[in-house]
Amino acid sequence: MFDIGFLELLILGIVGLLVLGPERLPKAARTAGLWIGKIKRTVSSMQREINSQLEAEELRQKLKEQQSKLDESLNKAKRDVESIAQPYSTSTPRKGDDDKPATPEGKPNAETTPPSASARLDEALAEVRQSDDAPSSTPDDDKDAASR
C-alpha cells in the first residue's frame, strides 16, 4: 500500500517523541496500531465479501448458460421427435380415424383439425411404449420395421 522505509519510521518516531513526549507516545502508538488493525480487518472483510459476490454472480451466469443449452437441446430433441412422428402419424391411421369419412384424395375431412405437435408426440411415445410391451417380434417383422 504505502512504501514506508525504516528512515521514515525513525523520523515519525522522533517527531512523535518531541510532540507528544515520552509519557504519551506509547499510548498514542498503541491506539494508532489498534486503529490500523481495525482498518485492515474492515478492508479484508470487504474484499472477501466482494469476491464472494463476484463468484456467486459467475455461478449464476454459468447456470443460466447451462440452462439455455439444456433448453436448446431439449427443443432440438422435441423437434426431431416431432419430425419423426409426423410422417408416421400421417401415413398410418390413428385410433378413431377409421370411422371418419375421407375426401377423394384420401385426406381427412376439413371438419377434423390436425393434432397439435405435443399430441402427436404423446401418441408416438404411447405407440413406442405399446410396441415395447408387445411380445418379441419375428424376424420378418424386424425386416419390415427396418425398411420403414
Side-chain angles (χ1 to χ4, degrees):
M1 198 156 110
F2 296 109
D3 190 20
I4 298 176
F6 180 72
L7 183 61
E8 286 89 4
L9 286 176
L10 184 63
I11 292 172
L12 281 174
I14 293 172
V15 170
L17 183 62
L18 292 174
V19 172
L20 296 175
E23 293 176 4
R24 291 187 289 180
L25 182 62
K27 187 176 179 182
R30 193 176 318 119
T31 305
L34 290 174
W35 277 96
I36 290 172
K38 284 182 183 180
I39 291 171
K40 283 184 178 181
R41 283 190 297 275
T42 303
V43 168
S44 176
S45 69
M46 284 181 172
Q47 285 177 342
R48 279 193 304 268
E49 178 117 6
I50 290 171
N51 284 338
S52 67
Q53 290 295 327
L54 289 174
E55 289 174 4
E57 183 61 31
E58 217 173 275
L59 286 174
R60 280 189 210 103
Q61 286 178 351
K62 286 182 181 179
L63 182 62
K64 193 178 284 188
E65 288 173 8
Q66 292 297 324
Q67 182 67 35
S68 66
K69 287 180 183 178
L70 182 62
D71 289 342
E72 182 180 316
S73 64
L74 182 64
N75 287 336
K76 183 182 181 299
K78 188 175 180 181
R79 284 191 307 269
D80 290 346
V81 169
E82 287 175 352
S83 68
I84 291 170
Q86 186 176 13
Y88 179 71
S89 66
T90 57
S91 65
T92 59
R94 292 188 313 263
K95 295 177 186 175
D97 283 349
D98 298 336
D99 57 347
K100 298 207 168 89
T103 60
E105 295 86 27
K107 296 180 182 175
N109 229 348
E111 297 170 358
T112 61
T113 58
S116 67
S118 61
R120 289 193 314 254
L121 181 59
D122 291 339
E123 271 183 28
L125 289 174
E127 289 175 10
V128 168
R129 287 186 187 126
Q130 286 176 356
S131 67
D132 288 345
D133 293 341
S136 62
S137 59
T138 62
D140 292 336
D141 292 340
D142 291 339
K143 290 177 186 175
D144 290 341
S147 66
R148 285 188 221 159

